Amino acid sequence: MGEYEICHPLNVAIISGLIAKKIEYTNIAIEQVVLAALLHDVGKFLINKNDISPLLTIHEEDVAEHTQLGYELIKNQLGLSENIAKAALEHHENNDGSGYPQGTSSDYISEYAQIINVANYYDNLAYNRTPVPVTCNKDALRAMLEVGTKRFSAKMLYTFIHMFNYDDHKEFDDMIV
């Protein structure tokens, strides 16, 4: 297991928790979002690691299966809430309906999944695990804005973007408002 596999769930959980806090979720809801984000990719552990490429794309059917596997594991084996399980299921659903596994769109995607979608994409950009190469935070934020509301809920995307001060020379801790 490499740095990405270890750090990614933690990064997504921290970012998701910050978004949930910024939109003034209750403490219990923030805790649920953080737990859902920690578990969002748990289904990947049930897929043969040889099937997962370093550069993830939405067209890899073997990888797409991880959302359903994660949902079932969280709901049936871990016995966690539907909200947490649904976040794992829907975190690759896009606002315009182009995501997977169900092609759900807009307000039909759970809010937890909408938050995790933003955090997940940002962390994948930061690790250069998308087709869009970035060299700094400003590039990552610009890439997210270019994808915009086709992929993300406007509320979650702009909440995330507005959490940052646009200065590439600051440390991460100094960028969070």
Side-chain angles (χ1 to χ4, degrees):
M1 205 182 271
E3 178 185 349
Y4 172 80
E5 288 80 14
I6 294 169
C7 294
H8 178 68
L10 295 172
N11 292 343
V12 173
I14 291 166
I15 294 166
S16 295
L18 290 169
I19 295 169
K21 183 173 177 60
K22 187 73 172 179
I23 58 177
E24 300 181 350
Y25 273 22
T26 65
N27 287 339
I28 291 171
I30 292 169
E31 289 172 9
Q32 288 182 339
V33 168
V34 169
L35 180 57
L38 278 171
L39 295 173
H40 78 281
D41 277 341
V42 72
K44 286 183 180 178
F45 292 103
L46 303 174
I47 298 173
N48 181 347
K49 289 292 183 188
N50 295 330
D51 293 339
I52 301 176
S53 75
L55 189 65
L56 298 177
T57 67
I58 62 170
H59 303 293
E60 294 175 335
E61 290 179 22
D62 292 334
V63 175
E65 171 183 27
H66 84 278
T67 59
Q68 184 67 41
L69 293 171
Y71 172 83
E72 291 168 9
L73 179 90
I74 291 166
K75 184 76 176 155
N76 301 328
Q77 293 178 359
L78 298 179
L80 296 174
S81 75
E82 178 69 15
N83 287 342
I84 293 170
K86 204 168 181 185
L89 178 67
E90 296 179 343
H91 75 275
H92 285 291
E93 297 288 2
N94 295 329
N95 200 44
D96 68 357
S98 65
Y100 64 85
Q102 300 167 322
T104 305
S105 65
S106 190
D107 293 337
Y108 295 104
I109 304 168
S110 74
E111 280 200 4
Y112 291 5
Q114 291 175 22
I115 291 171
I116 293 168
N117 187 353
V118 169
N120 183 58
Y121 193 75
Y122 177 79
D123 194 58
N124 283 330
L125 284 167
Y127 272 97
N128 280 311
R129 293 182 61 92
T130 72
V132 180
V134 299
T135 58
C136 63
N137 186 58
K138 189 179 221 176
D139 289 348
L141 296 176
R142 184 177 298 120
M144 292 181 76
L145 287 169
E146 286 175 8
V147 173
T149 57
K150 288 182 182 178
R151 179 172 185 130
F152 307 112
S153 147
K155 175 182 177 181
M156 303 312 171
L157 174 62
Y158 294 118
T159 296
F160 176 72
I161 295 295
H162 288 119
M163 288 172 26
F164 286 87
N165 293 324
Y166 296 98
D167 185 345
D168 291 343
H169 304 296
K170 289 186 176 182
E171 294 294 320
F172 180 76
D173 292 341
D174 296 332
M175 288 187 284
I176 300 294
V177 176

